[in-house]
């Protein structure tokens, strides 16, 4: 009998063991999210696009840079000065060298070898002012302006080949030119050139552009060549590393949430756009924010979610809309977004400079722990976001999404503080201080966001929950087998489309990705009827990498989440330390009570959490690492 039990156990172990060398759930002992380049903190700076669109010029860029320096914004962290679309004249033939439009960038004239155009004088000036310099390109042959602009202003000129100014087929040549010869420090790589140009497109027929079969369908993740697009961007990343042996470069991936990039952007670039272009109106700001706010586990030092550049200062975020401007800025800081000013600073009133220069809000974005805020309360009306700071204190934002005033209650529980301990709140906009126990009432004006740092008594005194340190948790394999569109994103009218067509539909992949304090599909974590406000929700057949900052014990209550639909297979939960199996659960079935899993992880640098089923599932069931924590 004992022999039979042993044989059964051995058989079960074999079923759950890594299947082959290429097994994506096999532990690696490595951190696999992007970590090259200079994005240890979310980058800050200024970009020409939202301020000037294609009507960009050296004079406008330098004037903006000067204001950033003189006003003290540079000293507060705004370091990158980026030239977006509109700088190029053509790709010279036959050598393929890119030629700068010198009517708008006069210092480039004759400044390069043999009298060629060069941005070196321009980047030299920016560097001398203490800035970093950024440039813009496209992963395809043609650019966004060429594909979408109805205005010919500053579009590349010449033959079909001369108009092909994008990186496609020229990665090594262009990256060497931008970084080695011209001295840039950042490149934003857009993706319009791979959205496809059909042979029947008028500009293809008229001989401006070559036809290009689409790799990306922005409306349908299932109709995009995800692996193909990813490979193109990875090649740029490799060229960047070769061209920048000092590692001082920033790779900004701009694929607007298409081709499932919200799942893989973190592995390929320093910052990655999660949505369509932002517009200077409340509804579209909500849209962009929503594409980032449930992706806390997809942002880390070295790889950040990018909900797009700031529109603080313009239209619904101008000086007549101070609550909106402050909310936009606060929310970007809470989700560790890159902070790129997109505003003509020459016309900025002091009130706007004060928003962009609020050092206490900037400090939340730039907190060295790199934890994107996690939703502690989530409705379409009010959201409460909580972010664990390097100091151990919390930052909390209470956000009124609506145009009517609202009363809200903030609880100590939402901060993961004890209800009987005193909580101190410091208001980062008004400077006031309040104290409370258990809960406090707040009143929010329309579209207002109250932002506080919060000090209290931690519920978990001797460690940190994993959902409090999302910057150290990377869903290396998130278990999503078939990319699906995320439905939880506000759908605003796109200004350039108005109400033509049939509206804005779910279209960004990433649904089902791992979540902090929530199931992968947005439900409360729940196992066999027991609800958890804290934990990591993931799909079965996932592998999470966790950087261990010196903790001794990993602890969780594991089980199959009650939101599981397939339910056909048991899930085994395994904990690895630097590639070695340190502990595991029994196979857990749907409906079974959560099982404690406590593992000694002392000395391990990378912990890996694997949830595995014996057979692959077409749609994996949600599982819960409830109350997952690292303890001292
Ligand atoms: C795309 C990008 C924008 C901007 C424009 C330039 O739309 O998403 O951020 O760079 O192209 O044409």
């Amino acid at each position: 009998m004992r022999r039979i039990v042993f044989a059964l156990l051995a058989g079960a172990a074999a079923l759950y063991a890594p299947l082959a060398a290429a097994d994506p759930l096999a532990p690696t002992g490595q951190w696999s999210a992007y970590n090259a380049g200079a994005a240890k903190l979310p980058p800050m700076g200024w970009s020409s696009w939202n301020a000037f669109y294609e009507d960009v010029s050296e004079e406008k860029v330098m004037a903006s840079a000067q204001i950033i320096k003189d006003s003290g914004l540079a000293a507060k962290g705004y370091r990158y000065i980026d030239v977006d679309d509109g700088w190029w004249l053509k790709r010279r033939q036959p050598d393929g060298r890119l030629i700068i439009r010198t009517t708008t960038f006069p210092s480039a004239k004759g400044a390069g070898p043999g009298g060629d155009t060069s941005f070196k004088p321009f980047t030299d000036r920016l560097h001398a002012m203490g800035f970093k310099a950024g440039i813009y390109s496209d992963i395809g042959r043609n650019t966004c302006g060429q594909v979408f602009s109805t205005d010919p202003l500053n579009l590349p000129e010449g033959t079909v080949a001369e108009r092909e100014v994008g990186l496609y087929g020229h990665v090594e040549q262009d990256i060497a030119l931008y970084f080695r010869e011209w001295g840039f420090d950042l490149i934003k790589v857009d993706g319009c050139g791979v959205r496809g140009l059909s042979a029947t497109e008028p500009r293809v027929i008229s001989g401006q552009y070559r036809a290009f079969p689409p790799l990306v369908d922005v409306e349908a993740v299932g109709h995009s060549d995800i692996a193909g697009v990813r490979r193109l961007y990875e090649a740029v990343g490799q060229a960047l590393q070769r061209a920048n042996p000092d590692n001082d470069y920033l790779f900004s991936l701009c694929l607007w949430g298409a081709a499932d990039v919200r799942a893989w952007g973190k592995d390929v670039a320093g910052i990655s756009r999660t949505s369509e272009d932002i517009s200077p109106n409340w509804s579209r700001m909500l849209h962009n924010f929503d594409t980032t706010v449930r992706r806390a586990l997809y942002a880390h030092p070295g790889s950040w979610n990018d909900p797009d550049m700031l529109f603080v200062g313009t239209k619904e975020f101008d000086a007549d809309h101070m609550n909106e401007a402050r909310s936009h800025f606060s929310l970007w800081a809470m989700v560790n977004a890159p902070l790129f000013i997109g505003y003509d600073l020459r016309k900025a009133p002091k009130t706007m400079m004060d928003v962009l220069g609020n050092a206490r809000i900037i400090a939340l974005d730039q907190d060295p722990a790199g934890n994107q805020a996690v939703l502690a309360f989530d409705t379409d009306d009010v959201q409460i976001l909580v972010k664990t700071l390097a100091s151990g204190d919390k930052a909390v934002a209470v956000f009124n999404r609506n145009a009517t005033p609202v009363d809200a209650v903030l609880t100590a529980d939402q901060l993961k503080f004890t209800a009987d301990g005193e909580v101190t709140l410091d208001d980062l906009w008004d400077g006031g201080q309040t104290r409370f126990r258990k809960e406090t009432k707040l009143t929010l004006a329309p579209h207002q966001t109250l932002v506080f740092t919060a000090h209290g008594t931690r519920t978990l005194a001797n460690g940190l929950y994993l959902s409090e340190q999302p910057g150290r948790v990377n869903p290396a394999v998130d278990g999503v087998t078939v990319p699906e569109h995320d439905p939880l994103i506000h759908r605003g009218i796109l200004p350039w489309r108005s109400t033509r067509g049939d509206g804005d539909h779910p279209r960004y992949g990433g649904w089902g990705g791992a979540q902090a304090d929530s199931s992968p599909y947005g439900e409360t974590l729940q196992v066999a009827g027991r609800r958890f406000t804290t934990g990591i929700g993931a799909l079965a057949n996932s592998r999470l990498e966790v950087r261990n900052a010196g903790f001794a014990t990993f602890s969780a209550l594991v089980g199959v989440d009650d939101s599981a639909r397939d339910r056909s297979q048991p899930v085994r939960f395994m904990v690895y330390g630097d590639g070695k199996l340190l502990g595991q659960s029994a196979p857990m079935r749907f409906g079974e009570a959560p099982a404690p899993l406590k593992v000694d992880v002392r000395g391990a640098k990378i912990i890996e959490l694997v949830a595995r089923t014996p057979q692959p599932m077409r749609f994996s069931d949600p599982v819960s690492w409830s109350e997952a924590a690292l303890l001292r």
Side-chain angles (χ1 to χ4, degrees), residues 269-444:
I271 63 177
S272 175
R273 279 273 299 275
T274 51
S275 57
E276 183 54 85
D277 291 9
I278 191 169
S279 300
N281 71 63
W282 183 254
S283 182
R284 293 306 301 184
M285 186 282 290
L286 287 182
H287 175 95
N288 283 43
F289 173 66
D290 286 354
T291 61
T292 305
V293 70
R294 292 178 189 82
R295 310 296 290 175
L297 297 174
Y298 292 76
H300 324 96
S303 55
W304 307 102
N305 290 316
D306 178 4
D308 204 0
M309 300 166 288
L310 297 164
F311 248 132
V312 171
T314 306
K315 293 194 176 163
E316 292 184 22
F317 306 102
D318 69 7
D320 295 331
H321 298 85
M322 288 307 286
N323 277 329
E324 287 77 3
R326 286 174 169 188
S327 283
H328 177 12
F329 194 60
S330 305
L331 296 169
W332 261 233
M334 288 299 285
V335 298
N336 290 16
L339 298 178
F340 279 89
I341 300 168
Y343 179 39
D344 182 356
L345 291 168
R346 296 174 304 182
K347 54 183 197 199
K350 176 159 184 326
T351 44
M352 275 305 131
M353 296 303 274
D354 290 346
V355 173
L356 295 165
N358 182 327
R360 300 178 82 190
I361 300 288
I362 292 172
L364 302 185
D365 184 79
Q366 299 289 298
D367 185 75
N371 295 318
Q372 177 175 324
V374 170
L375 281 164
F377 178 83
D378 189 13
T379 60
D380 291 337
D381 300 325
V382 171
Q383 288 172 313
I384 300 179
L385 291 113
V386 178
K387 173 191 200 18
T388 306
L389 302 171
S391 65
D393 283 348
K394 304 279 182 171
V396 54
V398 187
F399 171 35
N400 179 6
R401 295 170 66 101
N402 288 336
T404 43
V406 67
D407 290 330
V409 175
L410 173 69
T411 69
D413 207 40
Q414 289 163 337
L415 297 162
K416 303 197 196 297
F417 288 158
T418 60
D420 50 357
E422 187 176 70
V423 181
T424 312
L425 292 180
D426 282 296
D427 187 319
L428 302 192
W429 284 111
D430 290 349
Q433 192 179 75
T434 47
R435 288 159 204 272
F436 73 93
R437 283 174 209 273
K438 194 163 184 250
E439 59 180 47
T440 184
K441 288 208 174 85
L442 303 165
T443 303
L444 298 162

Side-chain angles (χ1 to χ4, degrees), residues 34 36-37 91 135-141 165-180 185-191 194 215 227-245 247 249-255 264-265 267-271:
Y34 199 76
R91 186 182 292 285
I135 193 157
Y136 171 87
S137 190
D138 196 283
I139 198 75
R141 292 191 184 113
V165 294
L167 288 167
Y168 198 84
H170 294 273
V171 171
E172 294 301 327
Q173 179 182 21
D174 291 359
I175 296 298
L177 179 71
Y178 298 158
F179 287 83
R180 286 187 189 273
D185 310 285
L186 175 157
I187 187 165
K188 170 174 167 182
V189 183
D190 224 322
V194 294
L215 292 177
V229 179
R230 180 175 172 154
R231 268 197 304 276
L232 291 178
Y233 277 100
E234 280 173 344
V236 175
Q238 284 148 15
L240 282 167
Q241 270 172 280
R242 280 193 289 277
N244 294 279
N247 210 33
Y249 71 92
L250 198 116
F251 183 13
S252 160
L253 200 173
C254 182
L255 207 52
W264 56 264
D267 301 326
V268 175
I271 63 177

Side-chain angles (χ1 to χ4, degrees), residues 132-182:
K132 302 271 177 195
I135 193 157
Y136 171 87
S137 190
D138 196 283
I139 198 75
R141 292 191 184 113
N142 298 108
T143 70
C144 290
Q146 291 177 312
V147 176
F148 291 110
S149 186
T150 45
D151 180 351
L153 181 74
N154 292 338
L155 291 184
E157 296 169 9
T159 63
V160 168
E162 284 171 335
R163 287 175 200 259
E164 290 180 352
V165 294
L167 288 167
Y168 198 84
H170 294 273
V171 171
E172 294 301 327
Q173 179 182 21
D174 291 359
I175 296 298
L177 179 71
Y178 298 158
F179 287 83
R180 286 187 189 273
E181 192 184 317
W182 289 352

